[in-house]
Amino acid sequence: MTKPWASDADLVLERIAHLVSIESPSFDVPASRDIAGDLAGWWTDAGAEVRLVTTESGVHLVAELAGEGEPLLLVGHTDTVWPRGALRGDVPWAIDGDTLRGPGVYDMKSGLVVMLAAAERLRDRPRRAVRAVLVCDEEVGSPSAQDLLRDCATGVSGVIGFESPHPDGALKVGRRGSTRIRLSIAGRAAHAALDPGAGVSAIDELVDQLVAIRAIVGDPSLPSEVLCNVGAIDGGGRANVVPAAASAEIGLRFIDGETETRVLEDMRALAPVRAGAQVQVEVLSHRPAWAASSADARLLARIEAAAQRVGQTAEGRPAAGAGDTNLLGSLGLPTVDGFGPRGGGAHAVTEHASLASTMQRIDLLEALLADVTG
């Protein structure tokens, strides 16, 4: 039997395939320029005013679609975690029934097509005003996009993020904060046997500092749990040399802002355990905790009502992962994320998205934007 969405599914599939074919790893400026240029053309054809913002990280896109009321901000990203060559290697483009496979198909090129397709459907109909911002460096913490995101959030009625949903399709309302830090230790080199007392072991100091960090994040007086992962360690070189330098990269996840503030302040206050050592804590990226609010609940209720109008259901709950909606939700803006289609395998060779779910998300977004009463 022909599915009700078959009439425009071919175009949606064609566009997803095209975006996946443009391999766009973070910080690849030429690739970012290519994908932003193609998206700009599609958004312009949909009736939007488009501007491209060029940065050292790549090219961001902002599209303004006129309509009723304050604009609803749609947030996405064009970069992926996959290096060039993944398409010809471990993650080739493939279609297996309803399942689409390829680098970035789930995170989040199918989501980019969802927002565009809904806008196209509403081109000649009454609709809410829309502002879409597609950043080029979300996968590495959006270092060049933070100010742009704040600017684009000015005067909006709410924010919808197009990251992947929960595995069961539920939307995401609230996200853990995510901070990456580098802990760097400077010691003093010396011969490990002939003159060990003249040296200061940066590795020994690093071990002691990591123990101290475990105590900080495990403090039972903290308001909520902290996830802490020491993801990389570097230092030293030879067993007969007291190491002069060592470092660790650490990922931290927070549920609430109070816990986040306390932990980061304590980590910045770390002091050397041994004389002659130096300790430096550098924040590499930071996304604040976004705790779900009543404003988020009201936006979710509007989405739930739109879902009912198109024969769907929608619900939302907090998520562990972080994204650009962390910043926007933490500013108090009504925010819901996870509007991308169902699928799985983000950042893994099993990455895949559902075409049927993509079409359902387009229907849902169309119904939401067509409601100009609120």
Side-chain angles (χ1 to χ4, degrees):
M1 175 181 289
T2 301
K3 294 183 174 62
W5 43 259
S7 58
D8 56 352
D10 288 345
L11 178 58
V12 168
L13 178 59
E14 178 184 322
R15 285 182 166 169
I16 294 174
H18 179 74
L19 293 181
V20 171
S21 76
I22 305 174
E23 295 184 281
S24 52
S26 307
F27 299 136
D28 187 325
V29 176
S32 174
R33 187 181 302 116
D34 288 345
I35 194 168
D38 287 351
L39 285 163
W42 291 345
W43 274 100
T44 300
D45 290 344
E49 293 186 7
V50 177
R51 63 186 174 100
L52 299 177
V53 181
T54 300
T55 72
E56 61 183 11
S57 297
V59 180
H60 309 305
L61 181 151
V62 180
E64 299 274 2
L65 202 62
E68 300 292 327
E70 295 176 327
L72 188 63
L73 181 61
L74 311 182
V75 180
H77 64 87
T78 57
D79 62 323
T80 76
V81 300
W82 296 102
R84 284 183 184 257
L87 194 61
R88 299 183 302 278
D90 293 335
V91 200
W93 169 255
I95 304 172
D96 181 11
D98 178 57
T99 301
L100 313 180
R101 302 184 184 277
V105 68
Y106 182 54
D107 186 14
M108 60 176 298
K109 292 181 176 179
S110 53
L112 300 180
V113 174
V114 168
M115 62 175 84
L116 173 70
E120 288 178 327
R121 287 183 182 183
L122 292 166
R123 178 165 184 174
D124 299 318
R125 293 164 48 196
R127 66 190 179 216
R128 296 188 63 83
V130 168
R131 179 178 299 150
V133 56
L134 311 181
V135 307
C136 67
D137 54 4
E138 187 276 340
E139 294 290 3
V140 290
S142 303
S144 72
Q146 297 288 314
D147 290 341
L148 177 65
L149 288 164
R150 289 187 177 89
D151 289 344
C152 288
T154 302
V156 302
S157 61
V159 179
I160 295 180
F162 285 77
E163 295 288 356
S164 58
H166 287 287
D168 62 357
L171 299 167
K172 297 178 176 179
V173 186
R175 283 184 175 275
R176 284 183 183 262
S178 175
T179 299
R180 290 187 307 120
I181 69 166
R182 179 180 291 118
L183 175 63
S184 300
I185 309 296
R188 185 167 55 246
H191 195 290
L194 300 180
D195 197 12
V200 178
S201 173
I203 289 179
D204 286 350
E205 182 70 26
L206 177 62
V207 170
D208 288 337
Q209 294 296 334
L210 291 176
V211 170
I213 286 173
R214 287 296 178 190
I216 290 171
V217 301
D219 185 345
S221 71
L222 290 172
S224 63
E225 174 196 38
V226 180
L227 300 182
C228 177
N229 180 56
V230 181
I233 288 180
D234 185 40
R238 297 175 180 272
N240 61 351
V241 179
V242 177
S247 64
E249 186 171 322
I250 304 170
L252 301 161
R253 304 279 180 162
F254 305 99
I255 295 174
D256 64 273
E258 181 182 351
T259 300
E260 179 180 61
T261 298
R262 279 181 53 181
V263 167
L264 294 180
E265 285 180 350
D266 288 348
M267 292 184 70
R268 292 187 182 100
L270 287 170
V273 172
R274 51 190 47 76
Q278 299 177 27
V279 177
Q280 179 183 14
V281 176
E282 176 188 5
V283 175
L284 302 177
S285 66
H286 172 66
R287 286 190 166 118
W290 159 35
S293 68
S294 59
D296 302 332
R298 288 192 294 272
L299 177 57
L300 179 61
R302 292 183 62 86
I303 297 172
E304 291 170 341
Q308 290 179 0
R309 293 194 293 274
V310 292
Q312 299 182 30
T313 59
E315 61 179 50
R317 58 180 183 269
D324 284 330
T325 48
N326 280 67
L327 170 64
L328 301 168
S330 72
L331 295 176
L333 296 166
T335 303
V336 171
D337 204 349
F339 216 95
R342 294 179 67 174
H347 300 187
V349 296
T350 56
E351 182 169 6
H352 64 279
S354 161
L355 179 59
S357 179
T358 301
M359 303 308 300
Q360 290 163 0
R361 285 303 207 222
I362 295 169
D363 291 344
L364 178 55
L365 183 60
E366 177 189 8
L368 179 66
L369 297 180
D371 179 10
V372 297
T373 60

